Amino acid sequence: MITVDWHAVLLGFSFGLPVSALFFLGLAWGMGRALRSGRPGLWLMASSFCRMAILLGIGALVTAYASSNWAIAGYALAFFLARLIAVLWARIGKTPTTATQEGT
């Protein structure tokens, strides 16, 4: 029978939620900078590298501190929850574009 270390899961989740929110805020910031830049690839690469380094680095630290692999499960759960919220927020923020015919 598998024993779940709920303390480690909660620790990973509590660290994962703000770090994941920072990840997606960084994604939005990097995309905005890339769209306004003459060199979008540079912005996207730098943003991607920084976001992944922070996300994976803190995840490794939390897992090492908890001394349990269950911490990374909570951390990943927080990331997927933050991703779901970010995607829903992006879809709600979009206004549908409907073409209207002139002269009718």
Side-chain angles (χ1 to χ4, degrees):
M1 183 165 177
I2 297 176
T3 304
V4 178
D5 184 3
W6 290 107
H7 182 265
V9 172
L10 186 61
L11 180 70
F13 187 83
S14 64
F15 274 89
L17 210 53
V19 173
S20 298
L22 181 67
F23 180 89
F24 288 107
L25 286 172
L27 174 62
W29 178 80
M31 286 300 297
R33 294 291 299 202
L35 290 172
R36 291 187 303 269
S37 173
R39 299 183 63 173
L42 182 65
W43 281 104
L44 293 174
M45 290 288 285
S47 171
S48 175
F49 176 76
C50 291
R51 288 182 291 115
M52 284 191 287
I54 291 169
L55 184 76
L56 295 176
I58 293 177
L61 289 174
V62 169
T63 304
Y65 176 76
S67 301
S68 172
N69 288 338
W70 286 105
I72 202 70
Y75 197 77
L77 179 65
F79 180 81
F80 287 120
L81 181 65
R83 181 189 178 277
L84 177 69
I85 291 170
V87 168
L88 289 175
W89 189 6
R91 285 185 183 169
I92 290 171
K94 283 177 85 174
T95 57
T97 56
T98 57
T100 57
Q101 279 187 323
E102 293 185 22
T104 56

